[in-house]
Amino acid sequence: MLPWDSRHADLILVVLGLLVYVPFLGARGLWFPDEPDVGEAIREMMVRGDWIVPTLGGHAWPDYPPMIYWLAHICADLLGGLSEFAIRLPSALCAVAMAWATWRFARKRIGYCSAFLAAVVLMTAPHFAWQATNVHPDMCFAFFVAVGIFVYAQALDREQRKARVAGFLAAFALFGLAFLSKHAIGLLLPGMVLFLWHASYREWRQLLLLAPLALVSLAVAFPWYWAYASEVGAQSAWHEFNAQNFARFFSAVDRGHGGPWYYFLERIWGDFAPWSLLIPLALAHDFGRRIRDDRWMRLCFVWFVSFFVFFSLSRTKREVYLLACYPALAILIADWISGRLRIWRDAGDSPVPGTHWLRIYLRSVGILLWMLGLVFLFVAVQPQVLLDRLHLPSSDNELFVGTLRLPAGLLGILLLAGGHFSLRCRRGERLGWALVGQAATLACTWFLLAALLFPVVDRVKCYRYPSEWIAERTSVDAPIGLFYPGRAHLKWTGFLYYSGRDVEILESWQALREFSRDHQASVLVVSQEAFELLATQPDAATWKERELRKWQVGSTEYH
């Protein structure tokens, strides 16, 4: 039997989430592609004291509404100043709160143990854990959408009319906050989910209520949009609103992040691994009897499928777009497991009939953990094999050899132990304990990644090190020149955030030479591709003599 006391479930879940996500939020810098952009917008908002207009380099940057900036600003003020820990804290807290809300919603609908499993599945999904430790608006957006749907669904259970109305108003107020996190989809997508759910039951009266309730969301979001339009002009504000909400759906040319229609069919397997192996079984299970007989399982099914189909049809695609439907997916998977194990019904260890696929899943995950453990142990013994593939500068290469062994070795031991435990429990018909071991291994793996491995990798993923090196050797008023034709506008915020210097984007050879002539006491940063082209120029020898050092940030090498 598994030890279980539902009275402590809330505390256990919150403490578990805080321990996994929070302690090492500041152990690494801001990583490309999104974190430097959001971090710099937060920094500039704090410097200017302007809570209305987000800016990058002093220019309005309306890609994201202000919610993430406001929350990060508040955390930074409470914690004594701007830091990676402070600006990532809102995402971590939203992730823990979303897992807790998933448990609270599901416990009366699929049972206490299954609901707790749903929350654990959610927290240990790799992409969810990654976004929980990132500074990005999507986790806050997902929190407001998910909790709003939960509050709305719970309001339908209220017998008193005032309580129902209060629940509906609170739900759509949360959708208004989601609107302030990622524009109109904060209202449109949950509204679509609720519309399809009620339509499947022909609940016409409830459908008619959705339109006036949407006014609550608009009332929450409108004041900021009005204030923003007053600052930058109505035409500019409308242009960006249209670009962010409608142009992104129909075209990925201007905004990037395009992908084929099957983009999410490929990505979901890794983003929700290893639980993703159960998605086809869970959906097939709920598509049949469960969505016919269970109102709440139908809500989760409609929620996940509508998000998945909507973003698959969109021309712009990113993995974070599905984050807001992860709670529904976690509930569906946990419900499928509960139907296969008597442990989730009467706290016994005996499997119920029909656990064939679950046994295959547990065996597959155990073998996968073993294989990953062997890979990490190999990296611990022979780190040079991995470093050779990264093409690091020699100075960084030598540093990595010494610092990579310990985290890789500990992760290898943990994964081997987790795989062994899972396989042993599976052979002993203790399938419930095998799931517990799997979840514990995933949580501990993420903890070790955040504590030990990410700080090591940070040196080649963060712009802090080249920026600080430049800042130490130049005066405060000396700008940085960035020559990376076609992509400099995607990279410059990392240098902005960490150097405290103005960064000039240079898009042509003429601009490069003019900057070099006018700012001889400044540093010029050139991408590897552009540096190779410099070798074809008449003054190639002069440029080569001026080279000071190299850096590797992500997949890009700078000179």
Side-chain angles (χ1 to χ4, degrees), residues 110 118 282-283 285-286 291 296-298 300-302 304-305 327-337:
I110 61 175
L283 292 182
H285 170 65
D286 282 284
I291 66 168
W296 309 114
M297 287 301 101
R298 184 181 296 193
C300 292
F301 183 86
V302 171
F304 173 72
V305 172
L329 182 58
I331 292 173
L332 293 173
I333 290 174
D335 180 63
W336 182 86
I337 292 174

Side-chain angles (χ1 to χ4, degrees), residues 87-121:
I87 64 178
R88 288 192 180 116
L89 187 58
S91 294
L93 296 180
C94 283
V96 175
M98 194 184 339
W100 177 81
T102 300
W103 139 253
R104 297 286 293 188
F105 170 78
R107 63 180 184 167
K108 293 183 179 179
R109 293 163 176 86
I110 61 175
Y112 279 74
C113 290
S114 300
F116 193 85
L117 175 62
V120 172
V121 167

